[in-house]
Amino acid sequence: MAITGRAALLAAAAALLVGLLVPSWSGVLAVQFVLLFAILYDLARAAPVRPLVFTRSADTIVRLGESTSAELSITNPSLRPLRALVRDAWPPSTHARMHGSPSATQHLTVPAGERRRLTTMLTPSRRGDHHADRVTVRSYGPLGLAARQASHAVPWTVRVLPAFPSRKHLPGKLARLRELDGRTSMLTRGEGTEFDSLREYVPGDDTRSIDWRASARQSLIAVRTWRPERDRRIQLVLDTGRTAAGRVGDVPRLDVYMDAALLLSAVALRAGDRVDLVAYDRRTRATVQGRSGPAALSDIVAALAPVEAQLVESDPRGLVAAALAGSRRRSLVVIFTGLDAAPVEEGLLPLIPQLTSRHTVLVAAVADPRIEEMASGRGTAEAVYGAAAAEQTRQERRRVAEQLQRHGAVVVDAAPDHLAARLTDTYLSLKAAGRL
């Protein structure tokens, strides 16, 4: 039983009034008895809360930054009307609020034997699986002096997918892909190209591309053209260790990695390539193997949704082993990791030759825009010291990138808003050059 604030206020006012008008213990006891009787009557008339029946209906998937609604149905099987305050509890990161209410609570009346629905709006600010907590109902009597309260477990799970803000670049990247895929043929055969067609020689064409046998069969000089080979394998390796938890701007580095990986996957799958993915720190957090076709992007998105950065140092040997295990034939291996000097020079750098000897390796890193702001700081001693520290950090990143490049890796180091586009452009350039 819960005594409401109205009952407590009424009891205090009655006691004060009786004390002034009837200064005797018998009068005080009489008023207290009347109040107690009113509270017990109100409690007896309040609808029971334990027999209530709850059902949920809601979307199970939503993209980060978007909103969704969760419907909660409450059935009152008792013979008394339910006058209640209902709280539908969700994790704080969902920013749950009832429709028409600034919070997750709302007053509700359900006549006897009937059902009513409540709508809870969810706007998640974190990826992953969000589980509904308990539904708490406080049932009031007709006088509002007392209430019954109970909580019910009404399970539901909403999976929040990565935001994928770089999808705005997808039409432009696909247009460039169409230019490479048959519309713009190459005259030079590369490692990642396949024969496309024959066409008539025009002045300026490379004479090495002339097909003399085909030319002998017809009255014109024919040249061979080549196009990027399809069905290549792309291996995406996301470092989910401690450095991936650091924030750049308003988002964790890992979320920037995911965004870039999704744009690259969307273009590569549309190009007819196969995309594998592994998220690793000291153990595998997610894996996707052998997916192809545009529909495979949903599998990659679903696999990445619950992955979180772990506050542990990544194991570079395990990371490289995971990349090698998923790429038995020559592939493009894209490693999403930081360019901090100590972890790369002591861990990843000595292992890169194992990858570059068998695969084309691309290292993708996100630069902190705050470093660029600090590097231009002047005017005060603090700003100058900050600029010096920022410039030292930039030089260290350039040095680490040059070391990786000397070992045969291609490095893409860009700000959060530009990493996805630049990484995909690099993939398309490698494909156009026949290096995949």
Side-chain angles (χ1 to χ4, degrees):
M1 180 183 73
I3 304 299
T4 66
R6 181 188 302 178
L9 182 62
L10 183 60
L16 178 61
L17 183 62
V18 169
L20 293 176
L21 300 180
V22 187
S24 65
W25 284 108
S26 59
V28 173
L29 291 175
V31 171
Q32 290 180 343
F33 175 78
V34 172
L35 285 175
L36 179 60
F37 177 80
I39 291 172
L40 293 176
Y41 169 81
D42 205 37
L43 183 64
R45 297 299 301 168
V49 291
R50 297 198 178 278
L52 296 175
V53 179
F54 299 87
T55 57
R56 286 194 187 275
S57 61
D59 293 332
T60 56
I61 294 176
V62 65
R63 193 173 294 280
L64 183 66
E66 298 178 357
S67 297
T68 187
S69 59
E71 301 287 341
L72 177 67
S73 297
I74 303 178
T75 303
N76 177 19
S78 71
L79 300 178
R80 296 190 291 273
L82 174 68
R83 309 172 186 88
L85 180 65
V86 181
R87 180 176 185 269
D88 186 12
W90 288 79
S93 61
T94 61
H95 303 281
R97 58 180 180 84
M98 290 281 194
H99 181 68
S101 172
S103 64
T105 60
Q106 187 172 352
H107 290 277
L108 179 69
T109 299
V110 184
E114 295 189 14
R115 181 178 64 179
R116 292 292 184 270
R117 287 185 178 182
L118 291 174
T119 301
T120 302
M121 299 302 298
L122 306 176
T123 308
S125 58
R126 294 185 61 181
R127 288 180 296 98
D129 293 336
H130 298 267
H131 306 282
D133 206 337
R134 305 176 75 83
V135 176
T136 302
V137 179
R138 180 176 292 178
S139 173
Y140 293 92
L143 302 179
L145 300 178
R148 303 169 183 265
Q149 180 171 311
S151 295
H152 298 257
V154 189
W156 195 265
T157 300
V158 173
R159 170 160 289 191
V160 182
L161 305 179
F164 197 12
S166 66
R167 65 181 179 273
K168 63 185 178 183
H169 299 296
L170 191 56
K173 306 308 176 188
L174 293 179
R176 185 180 173 191
L177 176 64
R178 287 192 294 270
E179 294 178 359
L180 297 177
D181 191 15
R183 288 180 170 81
T184 302
S185 300
M186 296 174 288
L187 295 178
T188 304
R189 181 177 185 178
E191 183 179 351
T193 59
E194 59 185 3
F195 176 74
D196 182 31
S197 61
L198 294 171
R199 65 169 175 81
E200 185 178 358
Y201 173 86
V202 296
D205 285 346
D206 190 343
T207 56
R208 293 175 297 179
S209 63
I210 297 175
D211 190 323
W212 296 108
R213 289 189 178 184
S215 301
R217 292 194 298 267
Q218 45 192 325
S219 60
L220 52 83
I221 300 177
V223 295
R224 293 185 296 268
T225 61
W226 309 86
R227 66 179 180 182
E229 187 175 352
R230 303 174 69 87
D231 197 28
R232 310 302 288 176
R233 188 172 294 274
I234 315 298
Q235 175 78 12
L236 306 180
V237 183
L238 276 69
D239 180 359
T240 57
R242 175 184 57 82
T243 58
R247 302 184 74 85
V248 285
D250 296 329
V251 297
R253 279 189 172 88
L254 182 58
D255 285 28
V256 182
Y257 295 161
M258 290 183 180
D259 181 47
L262 290 177
L263 182 63
L264 176 58
S265 298
V267 175
L269 290 169
R270 190 67 63 89
D273 293 335
R274 295 179 177 270
V275 177
D276 296 340
L277 177 140
V278 60
Y280 189 91
D281 42 74
R282 288 188 172 275
R283 66 180 182 87
T284 301
R285 304 291 174 176
T287 182
V288 177
Q289 294 290 331
R291 299 296 192 270
S292 61
L297 186 63
S298 59
D299 296 333
I300 298 174
V301 173
L304 289 176
V307 176
E308 295 289 348
Q310 306 297 313
L311 298 181
V312 297
E313 293 292 341
S314 296
D315 175 17
R317 292 188 177 276
L319 187 143
V320 171
L324 290 172
S327 305
R328 299 187 182 278
R329 68 175 187 175
R330 186 166 187 84
S331 309
L332 172 64
V333 177
V334 185
I335 302 177
F336 296 85
T337 188
L339 289 182
D340 299 327
V344 173
E345 292 177 344
E346 297 175 6
L348 183 61
L349 190 63
L351 303 173
I352 284 292
Q354 298 181 28
L355 286 172
T356 55
S357 63
R358 297 170 52 184
H359 307 290
T360 301
V361 178
L362 199 162
V363 177
V366 56
D368 191 346
R370 176 60 180 157
I371 298 298
E372 302 299 322
E373 296 176 8
M374 292 175 60
S376 61
R378 300 292 187 273
T380 64
E382 182 180 358
V384 171
Y385 279 116
E391 184 59 33
Q392 182 179 5
T393 300
R394 292 199 302 185
Q395 290 180 1
E396 287 183 353
R397 291 179 69 88
R398 284 194 290 266
R399 177 173 57 82
V400 171
E402 291 171 357
Q403 290 177 326
L404 289 169
Q405 290 167 350
R406 284 197 296 268
H407 284 74
V410 179
V411 179
V412 176
D413 185 20
D417 295 339
H418 302 100
L419 179 63
R422 285 191 51 188
L423 178 64
T424 305
D425 285 340
T426 303
Y427 159 77
L428 292 173
S429 298
L430 293 172
K431 199 170 186 66
R435 293 181 57 186
L436 297 187

